[in-house]
Amino acid sequence: FELYPNPSQDYVYLDNSLDAELLQVYSIDGRLIKDYTLVSGVNKLLIDHLPSGSLLISLKGDFGVVTQRMVKL
């Protein structure tokens, strides 16, 4: 999957090429912060309410779980 722009302040785009059903945002220490339900294709996600710093983005679907780091400004 592709997440851009990264880093970002207000929103990010997620190219959901894996057809994931759920995106979860975690703090670096593993606390769940936010869930997003995804659709196929490109999703625009509002992130202005998330805490600043490094976050972990996990996509979940039939393929399993894929995680990537994101920086929130």
Side-chain angles (χ1 to χ4, degrees):
F1 71 95
E2 187 176 357
L3 187 72
Y4 56 93
N6 186 12
S8 186
Q9 184 170 342
D10 297 321
Y11 60 88
V12 292
Y13 291 98
L14 172 79
D15 184 353
N16 189 12
S17 57
L18 298 174
D19 287 330
E21 301 157 1
L22 179 67
L23 179 145
Q24 293 182 307
V25 180
Y26 292 91
S27 63
I28 290 298
D29 63 1
R31 289 179 296 114
L32 178 62
I33 297 173
K34 176 79 176 157
D35 288 323
Y36 294 92
T37 301
L38 301 174
V39 296
S40 294
V42 177
N43 293 257
K44 182 178 181 179
L45 307 173
L46 186 63
I47 62 165
D48 62 345
H49 58 284
L50 297 179
S52 296
S54 291
L55 301 170
L56 297 175
I57 306 300
S58 289
L59 289 183
K60 298 182 179 184
D62 293 338
F63 55 85
V65 178
V66 179
T67 302
Q68 178 177 322
R69 187 174 154 265
M70 177 185 85
V71 177
K72 163 69 169 63
L73 299 176

